[in-house]
Amino acid sequence: MGISKDLAEVQVIGIGQACVDYLGRLSGFPEEDSKAEMDALHIQCGGPASTALVTLSRLGIKTSFWGSISDDAFGKEIAKDLLLEGVDSTFLKITPGHTSQFAFIAVTGDSGKRTVLWHRGTVPPLTPMDIDLRPYSSAAILHLDGLMIEASLEAARQARARGLKVVLDAGTMREGSLELASAVDVLIASERFAEPLMDVSSSAEDDLDALSRLTAGDVVITRGSKGSIGLHGGHVIRQASYPIKAVDTTGAGDVYHGAYIYGMIQGWDMPDCMRFASAASALKCMKMGARRGIPYLTQIEELMRSNPAI
């Protein structure tokens, strides 16, 4: 079990991944059967849904995370980090005797781009029977990261029955992804997610159109340094990226999702949500790891004030 918190005050529930990341900086990614020296090694927690909730917590939003870990060293670190970040983990499932998820991330070159090598762990995933959203009487949004499909589908069903908005972080197309996408109100996808649906010559607008057929809700595609593009009510919205010196892009999309949800809670329209999320994501990229660079509200507002045209 995690920290004791009044679940009735939770505004955002997140279900999905939490892990420990080992991040090494390299001058270039090595060829097979060769060696490369790392400039530094960083150890931080990560995971799409949990990092989005940490983002929201730093912005003053009360959150609760559902995931599955074991009682190994990685699991203990994951639970400790959620506690330190103020994310409720009352329903974090801990199954002893297994391994929790972890990753090694090689950050290369001057762009901050990364290559992720990850291990799912042996801990069993959440099941539909684990999900019960009734304690969250004030929750407004359920955030899913597209993993643990069966549990996510059940959570989406319960959330919509209770009047919550459902947001999906669609990173990679997997079995069950299309069914889950059809059950959400806001689909925020990576460019990679649309690839199986399109040919190699498709434009961002083509991808947006294809994804809009999967859901009756809003669609946003995050495009890294190219910004993001969204579709709301038949109107295309484009958001440029903020001009920063990227150190590491790990977790940038996760922070974007958390910041976008913050805008939804404030009642903002899509352009304002996208601009705020773009600024938050940019600031994260100025530091190594998924969590260290997650900004606070004053930092995001200052970046937006200093770049009013973006």
Side-chain angles (χ1 to χ4, degrees):
M1 288 294 180
I3 60 175
S4 176
K5 187 183 284 189
D6 186 358
L7 298 179
E9 296 182 356
V10 167
Q11 295 174 275
V12 180
I13 308 160
I15 296 179
Q17 218 174 0
C19 66
V20 173
D21 294 337
Y22 286 78
L23 302 109
R25 176 168 290 284
L26 310 171
S27 58
F29 198 80
E31 296 180 359
E32 186 176 4
D33 200 27
S34 65
K35 297 180 180 180
E37 183 178 358
M38 294 188 299
D39 294 337
L41 177 67
H42 301 259
I43 304 173
Q44 294 183 38
C45 288
S50 54
T51 299
L53 294 194
V54 170
T55 301
L56 283 158
S57 183
R58 290 195 186 181
L59 294 173
I61 302 298
K62 293 189 176 182
T63 63
S64 183
F65 176 68
W66 290 61
S68 182
I69 61 172
S70 191
D71 59 350
D72 59 345
F74 293 139
K76 290 175 181 176
E77 188 64 27
I78 290 166
K80 182 178 76 172
D81 192 70
L82 292 170
L83 174 64
L84 290 173
E85 292 287 356
V87 177
D88 172 72
S89 57
T90 299
F91 298 110
L92 178 62
K93 186 176 182 180
I94 303 174
T95 307
H98 291 268
T99 56
S100 303
Q101 184 175 312
F102 68 93
F104 175 73
I105 302 171
V107 182
T108 53
D110 296 329
S111 66
K113 292 184 178 180
R114 79 281 189 267
T115 302
V116 181
L117 308 173
W118 67 288
H119 178 55
R120 190 183 298 270
T122 64
V123 67
L126 296 176
T127 70
M129 293 183 64
D130 292 319
I131 306 301
D132 183 358
L133 303 187
R134 287 177 295 178
Y136 302 102
S137 58
S138 298
I141 294 174
L142 170 69
H143 180 53
L144 307 169
D145 67 12
L147 295 167
M148 297 187 285
I149 290 289
E150 296 301 322
S152 295
L153 284 167
E154 174 59 21
R157 184 193 66 78
Q158 291 186 27
R160 300 192 82 173
R162 298 179 65 82
L164 279 69
K165 295 287 186 182
V166 182
V167 179
L168 174 61
D169 167 3
T172 302
M173 186 71 74
R174 297 181 172 88
E175 184 177 353
S177 292
L178 297 181
E179 182 180 2
L180 187 58
S182 70
V184 307
D185 299 286
V186 180
L187 174 64
I188 305 178
S190 68
E191 290 182 294
R192 186 185 312 110
F193 185 79
E195 286 176 357
L197 306 175
M198 309 299 296
D199 59 45
V200 294
S201 62
S202 65
S203 65
E205 291 77 7
D206 293 332
D207 294 347
L208 198 63
D209 182 63
L211 293 181
S212 71
R213 300 191 199 108
L214 303 180
T215 176
D218 291 342
V219 178
V220 176
I221 299 176
T222 55
R223 309 178 67 219
S225 61
K226 295 176 288 186
S228 52
I229 184 170
L231 184 65
H232 171 74
H235 299 287
V236 174
I237 296 103
R238 293 175 176 81
Q239 173 62 52
S241 61
Y242 279 78
I244 52 92
K245 174 62 176 175
V247 172
D248 175 24
T249 59
T250 302
D254 311 332
V255 172
Y256 186 104
H257 303 139
Y260 190 99
I261 291 170
Y262 177 85
M264 291 176 62
I265 291 173
Q266 308 310 310
W268 299 344
D269 58 16
M270 178 179 277
D272 287 339
C273 288
M274 290 173 64
R275 183 168 182 252
F276 184 83
S278 182
S281 178
L283 288 166
K284 188 248 75 77
C285 292
M286 297 176 70
K287 294 183 180 179
M288 284 285 287
R291 302 276 175 85
R292 184 181 170 206
I294 296 175
Y296 292 90
L297 183 59
T298 54
Q299 295 172 294
I300 301 172
E301 290 174 337
E302 174 57 32
L303 180 60
M304 294 171 68
R305 276 195 299 269
S306 64
N307 296 269
I310 294 179

